[in-house]
Amino acid sequence: MASAAPELTSTLPVVDLDVFRHEPQSAEAQEQCKLVAEALITYGALVVKDSRVSETDNETFLDLMEDYFAQPAEQLKKDERPELSYQIGVTLENTEKPKCKSDDNCLRIIERLAPEERPLDVTGHGADPKCRFFYKMGERPPYETQFPGLNLPNVEPEGFKDTWKPTLDKWGHAMKSAVEGVAEMLAVGLGLSKDAFTEAGKYGPHLLAPTASDLSKYGAKDTILAGFHSDLNFLTIHGRSRYPGLNIWARNTGKRIVVKVPPGRYLLVQAGKQLEHITGGLIKAGFHEVIVNDATLKAMN
């Protein structure tokens, strides 16, 4: 069985994808699959270890993202596609508003949390002061789709022609391979065929979606960078960030979990709304926020 990763909160289970990849029919692999299902049912999240994940690739990816988002706003705006609902290219800061700001059901979820476990107040929060870039990693369908907007070509920023595609493709492939492995393990853990979920999502966009915030402008303690929300997709997978500040909520206890993904071959996986719907609510989408906290300030200094 996998042991807890170093420097990682012990609250979230750690699953070993390598065991499943190498001997999927083994008793140990089957136990790991059950652990995936149990973790997502109980917490809405887990940590996955995958030996294919390279810390060097993550660092190269983060370096490129920092260089890209450090450009002037007028340069970034060239990569914006609001007419396509921002589903490719960049979304600039102060554009997106967290759904929970105005969603009664979400606000009731916050009200039911113990006061000390609640997220920072989103009701007085405007749009998130974060930027994001959507880069599709999906396979184009071999037929005429009714949703061409989901299969538009990626935006390649000026000035990054030599590095953008190879860097994003390499890191994106690692993330996509890992999350597809988790989806297969989940299917097995739920008593389904291994490809039950991956076949359903085969021709999805599979977005690599790095986010960035300018901490020279938004670096005060308790600044909300991404307000309390859940994701619309099937599974969200997070690589390690250089700046702490991600909080998630365990669905069984309502406890806030401060996430620390250690260097190496570990990734964080959270359930999204598509998974909640396809399992009839057995697995619920995980809520999370990104804020400036003491650990963020320490990393900045």
Side-chain angles (χ1 to χ4, degrees):
M1 296 292 289
S3 58
E7 299 179 17
L8 184 70
T9 173
S10 60
T11 307
L12 289 179
V14 181
V15 299
D16 192 336
L17 180 55
D18 292 332
V19 172
F20 179 74
R21 287 177 52 235
H22 295 148
E23 292 187 68
Q25 301 302 323
S26 68
E28 185 179 8
Q30 296 297 304
E31 285 300 312
Q32 289 289 295
C33 292
K34 291 178 183 177
L35 180 59
V36 169
E38 291 167 1
L40 290 174
I41 291 169
T42 304
Y43 300 99
L46 56 84
V47 173
V48 60
K49 180 182 178 184
D50 185 349
S51 64
R52 298 170 296 180
V53 174
S54 164
E55 182 68 14
T56 300
D57 291 345
N58 187 36
E59 291 295 326
T60 300
F61 173 74
L62 292 176
D63 286 343
L64 180 61
M65 291 303 103
E66 289 188 359
D67 290 342
Y68 173 73
F69 286 113
Q71 295 180 109
E74 58 268 21
Q75 184 65 34
L76 292 172
K77 201 165 183 65
K78 295 178 181 179
D79 302 326
E80 198 177 37
R81 302 292 185 271
E83 71 279 9
L84 302 174
S85 303
Y86 302 97
Q87 290 306 294
I88 54 171
V90 75
T91 302
L92 297 181
E93 62 187 41
N94 298 314
T95 299
E96 283 192 335
K97 296 180 180 178
K99 179 182 177 182
C100 287
K101 174 182 170 65
S102 57
D103 182 78
D104 289 341
N105 182 57
C106 188
L107 291 173
R108 283 195 294 270
I109 290 173
I110 295 173
E111 289 173 1
R112 290 197 294 268
L113 296 173
E116 67 274 12
E117 301 296 341
R118 290 173 185 167
L120 292 183
D121 184 16
V122 293
T123 57
H125 174 65
D128 288 337
K130 71 176 187 298
C131 298
R132 187 183 57 222
F133 199 99
F134 271 171
Y135 184 84
K136 295 178 185 296
M137 295 296 305
E139 179 183 348
R140 289 188 67 85
Y143 49 80
E144 185 174 348
T145 172
Q146 296 181 50
F147 305 98
L150 296 179
N151 293 277
L152 294 167
N154 281 315
V155 174
E156 290 196 32
E158 296 177 5
F160 296 87
K161 296 295 185 183
D162 295 334
T163 55
W164 192 259
K165 188 177 188 305
T167 301
L168 270 65
D169 281 350
K170 191 172 187 180
W171 182 242
H173 177 73
M175 299 278 276
K176 183 170 178 282
S177 297
V179 79
E180 285 177 342
V182 172
E184 290 181 343
M185 294 179 75
L186 172 61
V188 173
L190 292 175
L192 304 173
S193 63
K194 183 178 77 169
D195 61 357
F197 298 136
T198 52
E199 278 298 307
K202 183 174 182 179
Y203 297 118
H206 303 297
L207 294 168
L208 182 64
T211 60
S213 297
D214 186 348
L215 294 177
S216 67
K217 291 196 293 184
Y218 305 111
K221 187 179 178 183
D222 291 338
T223 297
I224 299 173
L225 302 176
F228 187 75
H229 69 285
S230 59
D231 292 340
L232 293 174
N233 52 298
F234 185 75
L235 288 170
T236 296
I237 188 163
H238 303 264
R240 190 175 66 88
S241 171
R242 288 175 175 161
Y243 296 92
L246 173 63
N247 296 325
I248 69 174
W249 275 259
R251 296 311 305 267
N252 62 328
T253 64
K255 297 291 186 182
R256 181 176 58 242
I257 301 171
V258 178
V259 176
K260 291 189 283 186
V261 179
R265 307 185 185 280
Y266 297 94
L267 301 165
L268 172 69
V269 178
Q270 277 194 286
K273 277 293 184 182
Q274 287 181 354
L275 181 54
E276 180 174 327
H277 291 166
I278 204 170
T279 60
L282 175 65
I283 296 172
K284 296 190 180 300
F287 284 96
H288 49 286
E289 69 175 359
V290 182
I291 63 171
V292 177
N293 57 23
D294 288 333
T296 318
L297 298 175
K298 183 178 180 180
M300 290 168 60
N301 297 325

